[in-house]
Amino acid sequence: MAADLRQDSRHGTTDPPWRDPKRYYWLMGLIVPAFPFLAWGLVHATGLAVFWWLGVLLLYVVFPLADLLIGKDSANPPDSALAWLEQDRYYRWCIYLYLPLQYAGLVLGCWLLTTGDLALVDRIGLTVTLGGVAGIGINTAHELGHKKESVERRLSKVALAQTMYGHFFIEHNRGHHVRVATPEDPASARLGESFWRFLPRTVSGSLTSAWGLEKARLRRLGTGPWTWRNDILSAWALTAVLFCALTAAFGPGVLPYLLGQAVFGFCLLETVNYTEHYGLLRERTASGRYERCAPRHSWNSDNVATNVFLYHLQRHSDHHANPTRRYQALRHDDDAPELPTGYAGMILLAYVPPLWRRVMDPRVRAHYDGDLTRSNVHPAKRARYGVPA
């Protein structure tokens, strides 16, 4: 790697070599889109139909345990290596390869769902496994969608087609990154708000926000929203073409499973959204505007396993500070509040609101030195937290 050696121009000396210790670990992210192939192979190798549920086993059991067993890595690359890391195209191909595997697995899954001799419970398990691939595929789309190169932005829309969540491309980049950690952001969870209350609010709010943002953009261009230039409509058209093609190939019986895996996929994404900014709030300045987004406005995790599978998404503070920075160059920040484990474990906690509150509410309180008036409290829960209405 070109950044292995760095020259100190002021002293004419060469510092010790620096190598990216995770360089080849990023290929492990391709295990996720291989879920359907692994499930099929394990079922045939063992005769155990439980492996149709491989996505559940890996996402909810293996990955959380791996985070706990492997631990954390808070090391950052040196400043002099960042430019080389950004330019090394190897890391881009680790992302690009997700997409052909994602859609090859989807085709395999549709074939198995419609031609395989599967019981209903097995079909549901395979549908959830496909949904796990699709959900993490939204994270792949997230990485691609923030980049300036047009090919990567197009690939982002392709990755989103499987989950019917093409509007995420608009809302995340132009909505969430502007309003993050404020009551106006549908993707920022509030203190005391359960995941099950957050889910319908963020799904509907993100869709409404995305449509409004795109409508405003097109208005500035002198046209209405019902045009091929509408990025939301073009993204949804990709989903329609994909689902119609798969229905034509495998019959109408595949459509309920396509819808099921899409819903599971975008719900998985929203569980991660729930985790990333829970209870955190940007203060208003004297001008009435919100302060600039800082590391303290995102929950971070340096757990290695989930960071590898999610392309450093858990270094979320640096991502909000530098949205176009590529995943391999994202950095740990000591000022960012730290989650007790990786996103995989936090997803499990989110599903059980009393357990979530028991783990996370004290951390929010400690983050604000006991002053919860500085946090983003759910309006209906202000009395519980002693915050004036």
Side-chain angles (χ1 to χ4, degrees), residues 7-14:
Q7 189 76 21
D8 188 331
S9 58
R10 293 172 298 175
H11 301 94
T13 59
T14 301

mmCIF file of all heavy atoms in Angstrom, residues 7-14:
data_model
loop_
_atom_site.group_PDB
_atom_site.id
_atom_site.type_symbol
_atom_site.label_atom_id
_atom_site.label_comp_id
_atom_site.label_asym_id
_atom_site.label_seq_id
_atom_site.Cartn_x
_atom_site.Cartn_y
_atom_site.Cartn_z
ATOM 1 N N GLN A 7 6.779 10.192 4.530
ATOM 2 C CA GLN A 7 7.978 11.001 4.629
ATOM 3 C C GLN A 7 7.702 12.266 5.429
ATOM 4 O O GLN A 7 6.720 12.961 5.194
ATOM 5 C CB GLN A 7 8.450 11.405 3.219
ATOM 6 C CG GLN A 7 9.806 12.081 3.185
ATOM 7 C CD GLN A 7 10.945 11.093 3.375
ATOM 8 O OE1 GLN A 7 10.764 9.898 3.154
ATOM 9 N NE2 GLN A 7 12.075 11.594 3.808
ATOM 10 N N ASP A 8 8.533 12.556 6.423
ATOM 11 C CA ASP A 8 8.438 13.791 7.177
ATOM 12 C C ASP A 8 9.286 14.827 6.473
ATOM 13 O O ASP A 8 10.511 14.826 6.555
ATOM 14 C CB ASP A 8 8.945 13.560 8.610
ATOM 15 C CG ASP A 8 8.678 14.777 9.499
ATOM 16 O OD1 ASP A 8 8.654 15.891 8.957
ATOM 17 O OD2 ASP A 8 8.517 14.576 10.720
ATOM 18 N N SER A 9 8.618 15.729 5.730
ATOM 19 C CA SER A 9 9.337 16.679 4.899
ATOM 20 C C SER A 9 10.108 17.697 5.726
ATOM 21 O O SER A 9 11.071 18.295 5.254
ATOM 22 C CB SER A 9 8.361 17.406 3.972
ATOM 23 O OG SER A 9 7.369 18.069 4.728
ATOM 24 N N ARG A 10 9.695 17.909 6.965
ATOM 25 C CA ARG A 10 10.372 18.913 7.774
ATOM 26 C C ARG A 10 11.733 18.422 8.267
ATOM 27 O O ARG A 10 12.657 19.190 8.441
ATOM 28 C CB ARG A 10 9.507 19.278 8.987
ATOM 29 C CG ARG A 10 8.201 20.004 8.611
ATOM 30 C CD ARG A 10 7.323 20.162 9.819
ATOM 31 N NE ARG A 10 6.937 18.838 10.350
ATOM 32 C CZ ARG A 10 6.236 18.674 11.474
ATOM 33 N NH1 ARG A 10 5.870 19.719 12.179
ATOM 34 N NH2 ARG A 10 5.925 17.462 11.872
ATOM 35 N N HIS A 11 11.839 17.126 8.529
ATOM 36 C CA HIS A 11 13.075 16.603 9.098
ATOM 37 C C HIS A 11 13.805 15.647 8.170
ATOM 38 O O HIS A 11 14.898 15.190 8.485
ATOM 39 C CB HIS A 11 12.777 15.878 10.431
ATOM 40 C CG HIS A 11 12.117 16.778 11.451
ATOM 41 N ND1 HIS A 11 10.754 16.837 11.601
ATOM 42 C CD2 HIS A 11 12.642 17.658 12.341
ATOM 43 C CE1 HIS A 11 10.450 17.708 12.569
ATOM 44 N NE2 HIS A 11 11.584 18.220 13.029
ATOM 45 N N GLY A 12 13.147 15.312 7.044
ATOM 46 C CA GLY A 12 13.796 14.409 6.107
ATOM 47 C C GLY A 12 13.902 12.993 6.619
ATOM 48 O O GLY A 12 14.764 12.231 6.210
ATOM 49 N N THR A 13 13.036 12.609 7.553
ATOM 50 C CA THR A 13 13.082 11.268 8.115
ATOM 51 C C THR A 13 11.849 10.497 7.706
ATOM 52 O O THR A 13 10.818 11.065 7.356
ATOM 53 C CB THR A 13 13.146 11.318 9.649
ATOM 54 O OG1 THR A 13 11.993 12.004 10.132
ATOM 55 C CG2 THR A 13 14.403 12.050 10.100
ATOM 56 N N THR A 14 11.955 9.197 7.765
ATOM 57 C CA THR A 14 10.841 8.324 7.433
ATOM 58 C C THR A 14 10.311 7.693 8.698
ATOM 59 O O THR A 14 11.071 7.068 9.445
ATOM 60 C CB THR A 14 11.287 7.227 6.455
ATOM 61 O OG1 THR A 14 11.790 7.850 5.277
ATOM 62 C CG2 THR A 14 10.113 6.334 6.094
#
